[in-house]
């Protein structure tokens, strides 16, 4: 179970809260039960154990270890389902055809459900039976989080809530430093922009870039300190309550300033969290449009409001799994790159079947998963090298963090660029 | 049998169509003939144990044809013995007093047993011959 | 006891005639022709067994088929060989004289005689539905079987219960082997059996003095070893998939396979396809009708004669309808229980 | 009552009943569970999403490497199995009898021409390749670490109840290995075993595949996600 050759300083399993073993499994069952229902049932009743999902998973691809078979990661959740919820649940319980979920089993599955799963959904795309395995992984994480068995880093980030707390000061310092006007907490605005906490910590230029673009478009936009963090550690950790709190902040902030559009930053899971899950958490359709920033840029391009210089370079685009494969934002970034006059050299595979960078789903933040993630990174490097493109671009900060970490570790000659920064640096000033 | 004929619809007797069994039979005959010539071991085939249609019988008759010998034996009904075009292969058909076939054989041998005069009959014959000679 | 050989030579039958007779008998018994000398040798020494024929709940079809009154043939010759001491249908004597003859024959060659039975034996209500001179068929059979060397059940009724045993079997008809447990029983099923088959079995017992090789249903393998389908001359059409759809369509006229019209040939063991009926004239399939499977147990209750063998009895619309209703009900109950349990577990865990 | 009489009568009746009850029990037991309505704004309006049903039947070139064996063997088995099942005359006669019994219609009346069928030899060939594919798949299931880890009783028993009818069918057709009535009896017995096990094991994927692909198809197409 140890991930490759790194020494493990802390115990393999992270645990939160002092509770007896029975309590942990009870909490896990409580969360699992909340995710039972027709969709989970249809999926869990369809698996024919063909093992093909392993062929799609980058963790299996680089290790060849059968335990990384995606559907195997669902085993605890599937056990709970068969015993509690399936049409033959009575017989499964009576004859104990499926054992009860045990705490030992949950602990063992922490490595499978978090360290070795970026919830990238490539397995769901492969499954001949049409099972959305990635979707069920998120459900399974609910049980783990409720049982206090989420990885340390994700649990802390989820509990922290919006970060950094001094968002407003940081933004004003940034604005001053880069001489650009970044409105915060305007009472009324057409567009509410949001950031990823990774952008604030590591890639502040993206925020500046966003501000420049908005200024160039003359948009009536603002950030809101009561709702600015778009990336959602509640979702990554599997804590449904934290996830809802984070999303509700954004929704309420948007309503408060009467925004007609909410723009999500360059982040994969942030898009899914709000665009596709926001309304269901809110309980009714969202009163505003939700766009990934690459979608917004493509729209602005199409409407002619935004003119860009021609880069004249060959480019390859890394599709972030959550926004591209699972979110459907595939064409927008490519339209922007075209508008930048670049020659797009697609990787193979790309778009919906692209390999994951290995850092999504919170994996990049889990220190003990580094060794495993680095193994996966080779796939990405080869893929990009093969295109021979001069520039590598993506539209997700978690991906950028993974690429930068990989580049540092393997002294890779390429570095990953942000689409938004690229656009901002090539604006044609009116 | 006659009653069947005057039914309106004339059913084409499928039994008239040859079924290809004769070819298999001829192969077996050549095997038996070969065995008889090399080991002297006679053999015979009971035609009535095979699903042969009238068409098959006609085809068999045509292919085997007639050889030099054809004899009839009168013993509780008529028995016809005919050598076929292939010497050593005989067609022996036994009928009872009512003329119905009771056995229909192909025999591979120098001469079918039925043609030989049994010793017991000869003994009875001798007694009768001697009586006829007594004045 | 005079031997058969003495009887024949006494009646002026030449040795050559006797040889011819044995050849015919060998063919009759479906033995390989090379066995003819062995048959002749055994037959010459055989003693004329006494035969008692008891007819119970039957339609006389078997006796009719055996004797075939329209043309005396080899079969009659066989009957001349055996001293048929009691056959109620054919014998001139009747009443007390007949019974006396039977008792005498049974006493006289006790343990030696061959008991032939045709017709099933009703056992319901103490066997009241079948009695002769006050004695029930059941008792008669048990009593006659005591002294028999072997019992031959002639026809499907005696062998398996036949028509009288067909659903609902009001008379409680039973087969011979259901009642006679301590004596060897040879079943010669068929409705009726082929005359040649009956005499063949008799001849075999007569010639070799013992029971021919039998299959699981106690039927002589010589005649019941293979199914009609195995020996059917229309088999090539079955393999090519050429099937008659109705009794007078183009397929039927050109002699195609009758599988679709309900032929039970594939599951019926009998010698009709080779020995054929009425001295080799024809057999049901050759005359254009599917085999009914009359030599198989309970063939009366085995589904329609005109429904293809493949159409098993899946239970009909009503049964499947109820099954569907039950399935939906149980499914709904399972879903309801699952929802309730989901509510409980998602609160307390 | 000998084997053949049993399997053609009560055996088939019970198998058909359990088959119907089991399938409906499981399907209704799934479909009546609590559903969640998706309130998010679809990328393209309108209820669509069944493209995935067809798309997922053909392997993507990106995935071909690892899945070629599974796909080829899978299709060989399924095609061989269904050709033997649906184009062999005795089977067709049985289905026509069931159809006439259930909905009182004869295929000929509806389409004017009878259900086409293949000669016995062709069906035998298709059955043979189907059995070959099944053995290949079994060996793969045992040899491949992934499949061996995933496999349980259901996988191996379902494999057995699937191959048994084809194998016994081939034996019965060729009259090999015993008297025909026994072979036919074994064939029907193995079919009934399949019908009885069908609803409770992985063979139900014949129905759930439409539900699962449909569900994924709808949810993903609503988002414009890759299918």
């Amino acid at each position: 179970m140890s991930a490759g050759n790194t020494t493990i300083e802390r115990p393999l399993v992270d645990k939160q809260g002092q509770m007896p073993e029975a309590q942990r499994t009870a909490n896990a069952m409580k969360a699992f039960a909340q995710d039972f229902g027709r969709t989970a049932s249809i999926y869990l009743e369809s698996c024919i154990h063909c093992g093909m999902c392993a062929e799609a998973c980058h963790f299996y691809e680089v290790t060849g270890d059968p335990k990384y078979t995606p559907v195997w990661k669902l085993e605890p959740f599937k056990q709970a389902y068969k015993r509690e919820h399936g049409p033959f649940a009575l017989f499964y319980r009576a004859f104990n055809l499926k054992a009860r979920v045990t705490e030992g089993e949950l602990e063992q599955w922490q490595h499978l459900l978090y360290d070795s799963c970026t919830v990238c959904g490539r397995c769901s795309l492969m499954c001949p039976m049409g099972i959305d395995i990635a979707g069920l992984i998120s459900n399974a994480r609910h049980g783990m989080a409720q049982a206090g068995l989420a990885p340390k880093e994700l649990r802390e980030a989820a509990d922290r809530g919006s970060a950094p707390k001094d968002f407003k000061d940081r933004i004003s310092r940034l604005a001053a430093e880069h001489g650009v006007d970044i409105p915060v907490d305007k009472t009324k605005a057409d567009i509410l922009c949001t950031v990823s906490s990774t952008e604030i910590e590591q890639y502040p230029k993206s925020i500046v870039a966003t501000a420049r673009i908005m200024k160039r478009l003359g948009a009536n936009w603002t950030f809101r300190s009561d709702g600015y963090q778009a990336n959602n550690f509640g979702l990554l950790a599997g804590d449904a309550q934290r996830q809802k709190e984070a999303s509700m902040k954004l929704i309420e902030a948007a309503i408060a300033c009467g925004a007609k559009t909410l723009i999500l930053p360059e982040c994969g899971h942030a898009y899914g969290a709000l665009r596709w899950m926001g309304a269901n958490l809110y309980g009714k359709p969202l009163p505003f449009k939700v766009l990934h920033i690459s979608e917004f840029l493509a729209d602005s391009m199409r409407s002619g409001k935004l003119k860009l210089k021609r880069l004249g370079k060959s480019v390859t685009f890394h599709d972030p799994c959550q926004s591209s494969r699972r979110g459907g934002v595939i064409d927008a970034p490519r339209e922007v790159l075209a508008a930048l006059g670049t020659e797009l050299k697609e990787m193979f595979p790309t778009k919906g079947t692209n390999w994951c960078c290995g850092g999504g789903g919170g994996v990049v933040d889990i220190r003990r998963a580094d060794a495993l993630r680095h193994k996966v990174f080779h796939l990405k490097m080869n893929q990009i090298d093969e295109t021979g493109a001069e520039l590598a671009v993506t539209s997700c900060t978690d991906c950028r963090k993974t690429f930068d970490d990989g580049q540092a570790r393997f002294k890779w000659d390429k570095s990953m660029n942000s689409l938004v920064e690229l656009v901002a640096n090539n604006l044609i000033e009116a | 049998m006659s009653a069947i004929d005057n039914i309106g619809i004339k059913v084409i007797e499928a039994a008239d169509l040859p079924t290809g069994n004769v070819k298999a039979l001829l192969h077996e005959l050549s095997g038996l003939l070969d065995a008889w010539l090399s080991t002297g071991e006679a053999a015979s085939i009971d035609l009535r144990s095979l699903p042969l249609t009238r068409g098959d019988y006609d085809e068999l008759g045509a292919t085997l044809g007639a050889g030099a010998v054809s004899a009839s034996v009168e013993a509780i009904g008529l028995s016809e013995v005919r050598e076929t075009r292939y010497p050593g292969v005989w067609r022996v058909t036994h009928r009872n007093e009512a003329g119905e076939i009771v056995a229909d054989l192909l025999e591979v041998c120098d001469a079918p047993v039925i043609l030989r005069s049994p010793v017991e009959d000869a003994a009875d014959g001798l007694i009768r011959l001697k009586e006829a000679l007594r004045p | 006891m005079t031997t058969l050989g003495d009887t024949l030579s006494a009646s002026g039958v030449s040795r050559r005639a006797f040889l011819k007779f044995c050849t015919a008998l060998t063919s009759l018994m479906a033995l390989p022709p090379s066995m003819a000398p062995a048959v002749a040798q055994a037959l010459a020494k055989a003693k004329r067994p006494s035969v008692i024929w008891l007819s119970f709940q039957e339609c006389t079809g078997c006796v009719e088929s055996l004797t075939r009154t329209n043309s005396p043939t080899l079969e009659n010759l066989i009957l001349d060989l055996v001293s048929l001491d009691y056959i109620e249908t054919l014998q001139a004597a009747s009443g007390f004289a007949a019974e006396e003859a039977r008792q005498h024959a049974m006493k006289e060659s006790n343990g030696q005689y061959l008991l032939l039975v045709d017709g099933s034996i009703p056992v319901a209500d103490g066997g009241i539905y079948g009695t002769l001179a006050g004695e029930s068929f059941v008792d008669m059979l048990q009593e006659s079987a005591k002294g028999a060397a072997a019992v031959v059940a002639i026809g499907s009724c005696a062998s398996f219960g036949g028509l009288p045993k067909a659903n609902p079997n009001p008379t409680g008809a039973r087969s011979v082997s259901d009642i006679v447990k301590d004596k060897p029983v040879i079943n010669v099923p068929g409705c009726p059996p082929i005359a040649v088959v009956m005499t063949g079995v008799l001849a075999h017992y007569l010639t070799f003095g013992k029971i021919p090789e039998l299959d699981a249903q106690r039927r002589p393998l010589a005649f019941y070893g293979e199914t009609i389908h195995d020996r059917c001359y229309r088999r090539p059409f079955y393999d090519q998939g050429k099937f008659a759809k109705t009794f007078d369509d183009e397929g039927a006229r050109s002699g195609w396979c009758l599988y679709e019209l309900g032929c039970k040939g594939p599951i019926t063991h009998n010698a009709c396809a080779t020995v054929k009926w009425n001295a080799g004239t024809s057999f049901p399939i050759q005359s254009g009708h599917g085999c009914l499977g009359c030599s198989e147990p309970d063939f009366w209750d085995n589904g329609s004669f005109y429904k293809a063998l493949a159409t098993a009895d899946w239970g009909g619309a009503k049964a499947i309808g109820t099954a569907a209703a039950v399935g939906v009900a149980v499914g709904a109950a399972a879903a309801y229980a699952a929802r309730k349990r989901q509510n409980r577990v998602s609160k307390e865990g | 009552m000998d084997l053949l009489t049993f399997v053609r009568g009560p055996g088939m009746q019970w198998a058909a009943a359990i088959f119907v009850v089991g399938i409906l029990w499981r399907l209704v037991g799934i479909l009546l569970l609590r559903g969640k309505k998706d309130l998010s704004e679809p990328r393209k309006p309108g209820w669509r999403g069944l493209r995935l049903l067809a798309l997922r039947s053909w392997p993507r070139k990106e995935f071909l490497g690892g899945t070629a064996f599974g796909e080829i063997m899978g299709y060989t088995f399924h095609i061989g199995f269904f050709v033997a099942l649906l184009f062999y005359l005795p089977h067709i006669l049985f289905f026509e009898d069931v159809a006439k019994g259930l909905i009182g219609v004869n295929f000929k009346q509806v389409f004017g021409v009878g259900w086409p069928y293949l000669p016995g030899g062709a069906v035998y060939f298709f059955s043979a390749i189907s059995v070959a594919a099944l053995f290949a798949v079994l060996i793969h299931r045992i040899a491949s670490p992934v499949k061996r880890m995933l496999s349980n009783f259901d996988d191996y028993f379902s494999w057995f109840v699937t191959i048994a009818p084809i194998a016994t069918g081939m034996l019965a057709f060729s009259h090999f290995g015993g008297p025909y009535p026994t072979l036919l009896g074994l064939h029907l017995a193995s079919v009934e075993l399949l019908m009885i096990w069908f609803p409770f094991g992985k063979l139900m994927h014949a129905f759930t595949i439409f539900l699962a692909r449909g569900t994924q198809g709808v949810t993903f197409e609503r988002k414009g996600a890759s299918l």
Side-chain angles (χ1 to χ4, degrees):
Chain A
M1 290 290 285
S2 67
N5 40 31
T6 53
T7 53
I8 301 292
E9 311 84 17
R10 53 183 167 73
L12 201 57
V13 178
D14 295 341
K15 284 193 188 170
Q16 292 94 30
Q18 300 306 327
M19 35 181 161
E21 187 175 306
Q23 182 61 37
R24 282 194 196 279
T25 41
N27 290 356
M29 289 308 292
K30 212 190 302 191
F32 284 157
Q34 273 140 21
D35 288 322
F36 290 155
R38 187 181 324 124
T39 308
S41 169
I42 286 174
Y43 286 144
L44 290 171
E45 294 282 343
S46 306
C47 177
I48 58 169
H49 296 159
C50 71
M52 278 202 198
C53 50
E55 301 297 334
C57 174
H58 45 270
F59 287 105
Y60 174 77
E61 180 79 13
V62 296
T63 60
D65 189 333
K67 69 171 185 260
Y68 292 133
T69 305
V71 79
W72 182 249
K73 297 172 181 170
L74 297 176
E75 205 50 31
F77 183 55
K78 189 169 173 183
Q79 258 172 269
Y81 161 77
K82 291 272 180 186
R83 276 182 70 90
E84 302 297 333
H85 204 60
F88 308 134
L90 193 66
F91 296 95
Y92 272 97
R93 282 199 302 278
F95 302 112
N96 204 15
L97 298 176
K98 278 273 188 199
R100 296 178 68 87
V101 176
T102 63
E103 206 246 343
E105 194 181 350
L106 291 174
E107 282 181 14
Q108 211 186 348
W109 250 260
Q110 185 177 85
H111 169 70
L112 297 182
L113 279 167
Y114 288 97
D115 304 18
S116 61
C117 181
T118 53
V119 201
C120 76
R122 203 159 183 272
C123 51
S124 306
L125 210 58
M126 154 77 84
C127 175
M129 290 299 124
I131 301 169
D132 179 11
I133 303 169
L136 296 173
I137 294 275
S138 306
N139 292 351
R141 284 189 175 186
H142 291 153
M144 299 296 282
Q146 194 99 6
L149 289 169
K152 180 165 68 82
E153 296 89 346
L154 298 184
R155 166 52 62 193
E156 281 153 14
D159 292 344
R160 203 181 307 136
S162 306
K165 298 302 176 197
D166 56 350
F167 170 76
K168 204 165 177 169
D169 308 341
R170 294 259 190 125
I171 292 294
S172 46
R173 274 206 309 282
L174 202 60
E177 193 182 310
H178 290 272
V180 68
D181 169 26
I182 308 177
V184 178
D185 291 349
K186 272 166 73 175
T187 50
K188 273 286 163 273
D190 297 342
I191 296 172
L192 170 63
C193 281
T194 56
V195 294
S196 156
S197 58
T198 316
E199 278 176 338
I200 305 170
E201 305 296 346
Q202 279 182 268
Y203 304 108
K205 283 210 205 67
S206 286
I207 302 173
V208 172
T210 313
R212 274 215 193 89
I213 294 168
M214 288 302 174
K215 188 160 160 308
R216 175 67 189 75
L217 290 170
N220 171 9
W221 72 286
T222 180
F223 283 120
R224 293 280 302 199
S225 57
D226 55 357
Y228 57 90
Q229 184 186 350
N231 57 334
N232 195 319
F233 283 99
L235 169 63
L236 300 181
D239 187 327
Q241 186 50 33
R242 293 293 185 220
Q243 177 186 350
K244 180 169 183 177
E245 284 161 12
S247 295
M248 285 311 290
K249 281 210 181 78
L250 297 184
I251 296 169
E252 277 147 11
I255 293 170
C257 66
K260 284 193 278 316
T261 311
L262 187 149
I263 299 180
L264 293 163
E266 287 197 310
C267 173
H269 73 271
Y271 185 71
L274 198 67
R275 177 68 175 78
W276 301 118
M277 298 187 214
N280 298 329
L281 293 174
Y282 184 50
K284 23 193 215 287
L286 297 176
F288 47 82
K289 229 162 132 34
V290 179
L291 290 176
H292 187 270
I293 189 154
S294 58
E295 284 180 303
F296 174 74
L297 291 177
D299 292 350
S300 314
M301 219 64 64
R302 239 178 280 115
S303 61
K305 286 208 209 92
L306 208 58
K307 296 279 182 295
L308 294 176
K309 297 190 191 106
R310 298 189 66 74
L311 267 178
K313 282 212 173 79
S314 63
V315 160
T316 185
F317 183 74
H318 162 71
D319 287 282
C321 305
Q322 297 304 332
S323 55
S324 285
R325 178 176 17 260
R326 289 182 70 76
V329 178
I330 294 178
D331 302 331
R334 283 171 171 77
E335 273 172 59
V336 173
L337 286 173
L340 276 163
T342 55
E343 183 213 352
L344 181 59
K345 292 194 172 175
E346 291 285 5
M347 306 183 218
F348 180 81
T350 186
K351 293 185 179 171
T353 52
N354 185 25
W355 281 114
C356 169
C357 69
V363 173
V364 71
D365 297 321
I366 304 173
R367 285 291 60 74
R368 68 177 182 217
D370 287 351
L372 189 57
R373 175 167 53 82
H374 290 145
K375 274 204 196 115
V376 171
F377 194 66
H378 286 289
L379 284 180
K380 254 316 98 161
M381 285 195 285
N382 304 343
Q383 231 187 334
I384 292 176
D385 291 346
E386 265 156 31
T387 64
E390 293 157 273
L391 265 180
V393 182
T394 189
S395 190
C396 161
T397 43
D398 273 357
C399 292
R400 283 178 71 187
K401 218 158 86 170
T402 310
F403 274 101
D404 292 350
D405 176 62
Q407 179 186 7
R409 174 161 174 74
F410 297 108
K411 309 292 180 289
W412 190 32
D413 59 3
K414 287 202 181 53
S415 61
M416 184 51 70
N417 297 282
S418 139
L419 185 69
V420 168
E421 287 173 18
L422 209 60
V423 165
N425 301 340
N426 293 285
L427 287 173
I428 297 173
E429 293 310 334
Chain B
M1 281 296 277
S2 61
I4 295 176
D5 299 337
N6 51 35
I7 291 180
I9 303 161
K10 184 74 189 83
V11 173
I12 302 164
E13 257 308 338
D16 305 340
L17 312 173
T19 60
N21 284 334
V22 169
K23 199 150 178 303
L25 205 51
L26 294 176
H27 276 290
E28 192 178 348
L29 272 182
S30 77
L32 293 178
L33 201 52
D34 190 10
W36 179 58
L37 289 173
S38 51
T39 64
E41 184 206 339
S44 57
I45 299 169
D46 181 349
L47 292 176
R48 291 204 313 160
S49 74
L50 303 172
L52 299 177
T53 61
R54 214 163 294 130
D56 288 333
Y57 277 106
D58 301 345
E59 191 187 335
L60 192 65
T63 31
L64 292 181
V69 179
S70 96
S72 63
V73 176
E74 192 42 56
I76 50 167
L78 173 69
S79 295
E80 287 156 312
V81 178
R82 291 180 304 284
E83 191 191 35
T84 64
R85 262 214 320 272
Y86 310 101
V89 177
W90 298 79
R91 177 75 180 277
V92 180
T93 311
H94 297 291
R95 295 173 188 279
N96 57 19
E97 286 96 353
E100 280 164 348
I101 296 177
V102 289
D104 195 350
L105 311 166
L106 282 174
E107 296 199 15
V108 175
C109 53
D110 48 5
V113 171
I114 198 74
L115 292 179
R116 292 199 200 96
S117 302
V119 173
E120 296 84 351
D121 287 355
D124 297 347
L126 182 58
I127 297 162
R128 275 187 275 110
L129 180 57
K130 282 185 173 137
E131 255 164 32
L133 288 174
R134 217 183 290 114
Chain C
M1 278 288 273
T2 54
T3 68
L4 201 59
D6 312 340
T7 330
L8 282 179
S9 56
S11 55
V13 172
S14 71
R15 174 69 185 169
R16 172 182 262 124
F18 177 67
L19 260 181
K20 165 176 173 177
F21 169 73
C22 292
T23 311
L25 202 58
T26 312
S27 167
L28 168 82
M29 290 191 281
L31 297 173
S34 53
M35 288 275 290
V39 168
Q41 197 196 355
L43 205 51
K45 295 204 294 315
K47 292 185 213 51
R48 281 186 85 217
S50 155
V51 169
I52 292 181
W53 184 304
L54 295 179
S55 295
F56 295 128
Q57 205 175 11
E58 40 80 52
C59 67
T60 324
C62 298
V63 176
E64 177 69 26
S65 163
L66 179 63
T67 58
R68 273 208 316 174
T69 47
N70 53 0
S71 64
T73 58
L74 173 73
E75 286 70 26
N76 287 44
L77 202 57
I78 296 276
L79 289 177
D80 300 343
L81 300 181
V82 301
S83 67
L84 185 54
D85 299 334
Y86 179 88
I87 176 160
E88 184 215 324
T89 328
L90 299 179
Q91 67 193 15
S94 66
F96 292 110
E99 287 313 304
E100 218 172 79
R102 185 165 64 84
Q103 298 297 345
H104 169 69
M106 278 161 56
K107 218 185 306 57
E108 230 263 352
S109 45
N110 188 4
Q112 295 303 320
Y113 60 82
L114 198 60
L115 178 63
L116 268 62
V117 177
D118 76 314
S120 62
I121 302 99
V123 297
D125 306 337
I128 188 71
Y129 299 110
T131 59
L132 189 66
E135 194 188 3
S136 79
F137 287 164
V138 191
D139 303 338
M140 267 182 81
L141 175 61
Q142 279 160 345
E143 183 215 336
S144 316
K146 277 203 205 64
V151 183
V152 182
I154 300 283
S156 287
C157 294
S159 307
F160 304 122
L163 172 63
K165 184 177 172 231
N167 204 353
N169 192 0
T171 66
R174 288 291 173 277
S175 68
V176 169
S177 47
D178 286 344
I179 293 171
V180 174
K181 297 292 185 194
D182 53 355
K183 290 284 178 185
V185 175
I186 309 167
N187 284 336
V188 182
C191 191
I194 307 168
V196 173
V197 168
M198 284 189 267
T199 41
V201 173
L202 277 178
H204 190 285
Y205 182 76
L206 183 95
T207 318
F208 300 107
K210 58 181 172 50
I211 300 174
E213 228 187 303
L214 304 178
D215 71 2
Q217 309 275 4
R218 291 200 178 85
R219 300 174 294 202
L221 277 175
F223 297 103
Y224 296 93
E226 286 173 337
T227 64
I228 309 291
H229 190 64
D230 291 337
R231 285 287 183 176
C232 179
Y233 74 96
R234 297 194 179 195
R235 184 59 185 282
F237 296 121
Y238 172 86
D239 290 336
Q240 292 153 25
K242 290 197 173 107
F243 299 97
K245 300 270 191 267
T246 66
F247 278 108
D248 63 354
D249 71 355
E250 188 260 344
R253 290 175 183 286
S254 33
W256 288 359
C257 168
L258 300 168
Y259 183 90
E260 254 190 75
L261 295 167
C263 175
K264 300 297 184 298
I267 58 161
T268 308
H269 290 83
N270 208 338
C272 310
T274 45
V275 175
K276 302 193 182 173
W277 288 76
N278 307 323
T281 309
S282 172
F283 70 109
I285 293 169
Q286 187 173 328
S287 306
H289 189 285
C291 155
L292 302 185
C294 72
S295 59
E296 292 302 321
D298 308 327
F299 76 99
W300 287 101
D301 297 334
N302 230 338
S304 146
F305 293 143
Y306 300 100
K307 188 176 269 187
L309 193 55
T311 47
D313 171 10
W314 46 275
K318 209 163 61 59
I320 298 302
T322 10
V326 165
V328 171
V330 175
Y336 174 73
R339 280 170 176 249
K340 263 181 64 213
R341 194 174 175 81
Q342 179 179 22
N343 297 342
R344 190 171 60 73
V345 171
S346 56
K347 287 189 189 58
E348 304 122 22
Chain D
M1 179 177 263
D2 70 338
L3 172 69
L4 187 59
T5 330
F6 174 72
V7 288
R8 292 188 65 236
M12 180 57 82
Q13 284 158 5
W14 278 105
I18 294 170
F19 184 69
V20 169
V21 170
I23 287 174
L24 285 169
W25 171 359
R26 191 162 180 186
L27 286 183
V28 169
I30 293 171
L31 293 173
L32 288 188
L33 294 176
R34 189 166 285 125
K36 294 194 187 83
K37 198 169 171 333
D38 189 342
L39 300 168
S40 65
E41 187 213 339
R43 184 176 294 282
K44 298 192 207 68
W47 191 87
R48 287 174 20 264
L50 298 185
R51 282 191 316 143
L52 186 131
L53 283 175
L55 279 174
R56 199 54 67 81
S57 298
W58 194 250
R60 290 169 172 279
K61 55 186 181 320
E62 295 94 341
F63 294 147
L64 213 48
T67 62
F69 176 83
E71 293 274 350
I72 296 167
M73 286 304 137
Y75 272 115
T76 315
F77 157 67
H78 279 91
I79 292 169
F81 178 79
F82 282 106
V83 163
L85 184 66
L86 301 177
F87 293 102
Y88 182 53
L89 182 77
H91 296 163
I92 296 169
L93 293 176
F94 176 62
F95 296 140
E96 274 176 358
D97 181 58
V98 172
K100 191 180 290 119
L102 285 183
I103 37 180
V105 73
N106 182 325
F107 192 84
K108 206 192 238 327
Q109 292 148 351
V110 174
F111 295 99
V113 70
W115 185 275
Y117 56 86
L118 292 169
V123 168
Y124 192 83
F125 166 71
F126 276 101
S127 311
I129 54 171
S130 173
V131 165
L134 273 173
F135 272 113
V137 161
L138 178 68
I139 292 161
H140 190 254
R141 180 166 290 282
I142 293 167
S144 140
V146 168
K147 286 181 138 181
R148 201 169 56 246
M149 178 191 73
L150 290 174
S151 299
N152 56 15
F153 168 78
D154 177 13
D155 296 293
Y156 295 110
F157 187 61
S158 298
W159 178 85
F160 170 72
V161 298
T162 308
I163 200 165
I166 314 172
T168 48
M170 288 169 73
L171 287 178
F173 172 79
S174 54
H175 290 245
F176 177 79
Y180 181 77
T182 320
L183 295 176
L184 185 61
L186 284 176
H187 179 58
L188 286 174
S190 62
V191 168
E192 277 146 33
L193 179 65
L194 183 136
M195 285 167 78
I196 289 167
W197 172 250
F198 186 97
F200 308 103
K202 69 188 238 185
L203 298 183
M204 267 302 275
H205 73 273
F207 289 94
T208 56
I209 190 172
F210 298 103
L211 297 177
R213 283 191 186 175
T215 311
Q216 185 179 105
V218 168
T219 17
F220 277 33
E221 187 137 15
R222 215 173 165 286
K223 298 194 278 186
S226 312
L227 297 183

